[in-house]
Amino acid sequence: MDHWTEIYTALCVAKSGTVSKAADVLGVHRATVNRHIDTLEASLGAKLFLRHRRGYELTDTGKEFLSVASRAHDTLDDFFGRVRVQNAELDGEIVVTTVPQLTQLILPAILEFRRRYPRTRVSVNTSNALARLEKAEAHVALRVGQKPSHNDYVVQHFCALEFTLYVHQVYVDRRGMPEFDDLGRHVFVGNPSSESRAPMDVWLGRYIAPEQVVLKSENATVLQSAIWNGDGLGFMPRGYARQFPELIQIIPPQPEWRVESWLVTHIDVHRTDKIQSMLECLKAVTAQG
């Protein structure tokens, strides 16, 4: 087939529904889009679209085209992603994505990796959004919650995050030491929600009155900063909090507050030396307790 440009144009029209939107996506004039469609239909000897005032509607042949072209596009996109990963390995960059709650835990591993391999460059992205490893958006991902399931991912258990309630000494000096059986007179920072996947958020929503939550946020960094400022009680991972004597544990970690975390890599890069070295450094963090 000698019409790859026209095929991609037709795919954009099929997905967007109008020539104008497709032209915006492609960065070309509407006339160019129309010309590509006409050329492709002439080559096929069949109509792919029915033109009407509201836009372009796929014919039966067009629907079959969309299915075939979409699969081809996804296959090529996956190929280019894997090539980018392989090239990234050569120039020494590695991208690690994690959730904010794990940032402090893995930082020593990142620094150790850099000490061992000073010519490498490490990017750490902290986001609750899931990076698509098959698209080379990251080389190593740390995820929390249920074990990820993806045919092309290698998934290994990282650690269990044992969350519990903490308060800073600054808060205690202001308002006294909280007791677990008398939390009604204290204030909290957190994200109370009955629909959250985080069990700590569900607990806050169930047992703590709304007026007691003086700062609400989904951002773990914001909440940790608020706890450090003495603004209220809040949840932190024990592995992180116990490094600081100023943070006082209110109650031992409860089984329902335990959250599992996972190391995730793509099968195409999992066995490369660089990825294995990073995984070794990350695993050493949990091995040290």
Side-chain angles (χ1 to χ4, degrees), residues 94 139-140 265 269-270 272-280:
I94 183 168
H139 301 110
V140 178
T265 53
V269 299
H270 176 71
T272 60
D273 292 340
K274 189 171 60 179
I275 300 301
Q276 285 296 308
S277 298
M278 176 59 79
L279 294 176
E280 179 184 344

Side-chain angles (χ1 to χ4, degrees), residues 13-26:
V13 173
K15 289 184 175 180
S16 64
T18 69
V19 169
S20 298
K21 291 180 181 178
D24 289 340
V25 171
L26 296 169

